[in-house]
Structure formats: C-alpha cells, structure tokens
Amino acid sequence: MSTQIYPFFCLLFLFELMTSKGHFDATLKPPLKWAGGKRWLLPVLKRYWNKHQQSRLVEPFCGGLSVALGLAPERALLNDVNPALINFYQHLSEGLEVDIAFINDESAYYHCRDEFNQLNANQSDAPRAAQLFYYLNRTGYNGLCRFNSRGGYNVPFGRYKTINYLESFIHYQPILSRWQFSCQDFETIPLEPMDFVYADPPYDTPFHQYSQKGFKWEDQERLAYWLSQHNGPVLLSNQATDRIIKLYKQLGFRLRYLDAPRLISCKGNGRKAVKEVLAIRGF
C-alpha cells in the first residue's frame, strides 16, 4: 500500500471508531481551564450514572464540560448562561479550526481581550469569538471566567511561563456533535421525565459574578425548588454552607458530604480541601 494512502486509512478508522454508536473517548480532557471543575468528583458521579446510562444527561450549568466528557453519555442537553462559553462549544461540535497564532504575551492578551469584548457586546457567534474565548481562558489568570456588570470579560493576564495551546479541536467534534447545547435560565430547560440531571451551580459564596447577572441566594432557592420537582434522578453539588444544607434537607434530598479540593486562592494556605455537599434525589 502506498505510504501516502496508509495514513488516510488510519485516520478514517480512528474517526469511525470514535463516532460509532456508544463509543466515546472518555479520556478526552476538557478543552478549557475551569475554576471549580468536577473531574475530581467523577468516580462518585459514575456510580450513580452507571445505573442510568440510557437516560439523557442534563446539566443546567455545564461549565468546563468535565462531567459530560467523563460520563460520555449518548444523549445530553448541556446548558449554561454564559453565551461565550456555549458559542465555543457549539463551534467545537461543528469542527472548529484554529487560524489564530496564540501567543503567551501580556500585550497580545489585552489586545485580544478588547477584541473579544467588542464581539461579545455585539452578541457575535462567529468562530473568531470562539477562538478568542479559548485563548483568553488558557492565557488569563488561573482559569477564571469573570464578567463585569456591563458584560465585559475582565480576567487579568495570567503570567504563565509556558502554555500548551491546542492547535486543533477536531477530536472533540465527533463527541460534541451528538449533544445539544443551550444558553438559557435553568428554569426554562425542557426536561424529559427520566432525565438524569446533574447541577453544579456557582457556589454559595460571596463571589457570584460568573456571568453578567450573577447568581444570588434567590437563584439558589429557585434552583433547589426546580430540582425538587423533577421525577427523575437528580444530583447537585455545592459548598456545604449551613443554609445550603438546610435548604436541600427541607426539600427531601439525601445529603452526602465530600472533601473538595480548592483550586483558587491568593493565600499560601488556601489550597486545602473544603466541605462540599452532594444533594441526591430520585435514586
């Protein structure tokens, strides 16, 4: 066989293997750095998911996508109120190609941030906006995703020595193309009776400016009540604050406590395990 033809058949075989029904590469790493990501929680979540693998996975706050990639469902509805994030995932599902030379440079970072904010202000869903979002995420400080009250992305330059930028996103396309992405308030998500819902909202902490509108205590209460109305299996992660514990106990959830790694801190003693609660219902 010609040496030029052989690589083509290798790539064709790999593509068919990845896209065949039920065969996902669950080892794919999330494409973004994401504060509060739940890769560490996957061994626990998988024990619940394994009994419901025929269900549709629904995540009202899909974030960095670590749970969806780790569980690798056949069907999924992945939602987030961050339109820039969902735009990025939608382009990945369509086979986003890289045509920007990513540079770990402070001046380039702020230039790209200004360009991204201009596109975002115009609600652009262009591939350029998706690529810039990826660049800002990988280059900005500590995997933060933060917007001010006017909707401007305001994460500062990260000052990493080296950054391994992805030069191609094509290996995400076969998986993400099977999933549905949406950008809406969680209460408007159309649930099916036996959907497996995993909710990972912003933590019950003083900082809640993940999106332009933020996520306040009233939203935590709305979420808890909305989840309690679903007849199918439900899991929720949050920081184990007294009022979160009380809220979910009152609504009949079973609670499980876990030590979660804290990945963001400006203090030397801040990277310690914190108590997190897993609220469980419908199992």
Side-chain angles (χ1 to χ4, degrees):
M1 180 181 290
S2 166
T3 56
Q4 293 181 330
I5 297 176
Y6 180 76
F8 169 77
F9 279 103
C10 287
L11 289 173
L12 181 61
F13 171 76
L14 178 61
F15 182 82
E16 289 179 347
L17 179 64
M18 292 178 67
T19 56
S20 60
K21 184 175 179 65
H23 289 83
F24 291 112
D25 182 1
T27 64
L28 269 180
K29 293 182 179 180
L32 302 171
K33 293 169 65 76
W34 206 255
K38 289 299 185 291
R39 291 187 73 188
W40 65 271
L41 189 57
L42 279 172
V44 176
L45 297 179
K46 284 180 178 179
R47 288 198 286 271
Y48 294 96
W49 171 250
N50 286 342
K51 298 179 181 179
H52 297 271
Q53 292 186 47
Q54 302 306 312
S55 299
R56 182 178 67 161
L57 173 66
V58 175
E59 289 193 63
F61 313 88
C62 66
L65 225 60
S66 59
V67 170
L69 288 173
L71 299 183
E74 177 67 25
R75 300 171 61 227
L77 172 55
L78 306 174
N79 179 77
D80 203 282
V81 292
N82 184 339
L85 178 69
I86 295 302
N87 181 55
F88 175 69
Y89 290 148
Q90 287 176 330
H91 279 289
L92 255 61
S93 72
E94 297 166 3
L96 180 66
E97 296 182 359
V98 177
D99 57 16
I100 297 177
F102 299 130
I103 303 174
N104 183 20
D105 174 80
E106 185 172 5
S107 177
Y109 175 82
Y110 287 113
H111 175 78
C112 287
R113 194 178 76 171
D114 289 343
E115 182 184 356
F116 171 78
N117 280 333
Q118 184 175 2
L119 290 170
N120 200 41
N122 294 325
Q123 299 181 331
S124 173
D125 59 358
R128 177 80 177 180
Q131 292 186 61
L132 287 171
F133 182 75
Y134 170 78
Y135 169 72
L136 295 176
N137 171 267
R138 298 296 299 179
T139 315
Y141 179 75
N142 228 0
L144 288 175
C145 184
R146 187 181 66 194
F147 293 83
N148 60 32
S149 59
R150 298 182 300 277
Y153 189 86
N154 63 359
V155 177
F157 181 64
R159 304 188 185 281
Y160 299 105
K161 291 183 178 180
T162 59
I163 300 175
N164 295 320
Y165 297 107
L166 287 178
E167 296 181 354
S168 173
F169 300 105
I170 194 63
H171 48 298
Y172 290 98
Q173 192 271 338
I175 300 176
L176 270 65
S177 64
R178 298 190 178 214
W179 299 339
Q180 179 184 355
F181 292 92
S182 65
C183 183
Q184 57 192 347
D185 183 82
F186 60 84
E187 278 191 301
T188 65
I189 296 174
L191 292 179
E192 298 174 4
M194 293 311 297
D195 280 340
F196 183 104
V197 180
Y198 171 65
D200 182 30
Y203 276 4
D204 179 30
T205 63
F207 172 77
H208 48 71
Q209 205 63 39
Y210 162 72
S211 64
Q212 184 176 355
K213 294 183 179 180
F215 200 83
K216 301 178 181 179
W217 177 247
E218 292 79 7
D219 300 307
Q220 298 280 6
E221 292 180 312
R222 281 198 306 124
L223 174 63
Y225 180 77
W226 180 74
L227 292 172
S228 72
Q229 300 304 299
H230 181 52
N231 292 326
V234 174
L235 295 172
L236 167 125
S237 299
N238 210 316
Q239 189 162 322
T241 61
D242 290 342
R243 60 183 184 174
I244 285 290
I245 293 170
K246 180 179 179 181
L247 175 63
Y248 282 90
K249 277 186 175 180
Q250 288 177 338
L251 290 170
F253 285 79
R254 179 164 55 92
L255 304 185
R256 179 176 176 180
Y257 300 95
L258 303 162
D259 288 328
R262 183 185 293 278
L263 301 179
I264 291 182
S265 176
C266 295
K267 298 181 181 180
N269 63 352
R271 294 179 180 270
K272 293 183 179 180
V274 295
K275 284 295 181 184
E276 182 157 320
V277 63
L278 189 66
I280 306 161
R281 185 182 177 94
F283 289 90

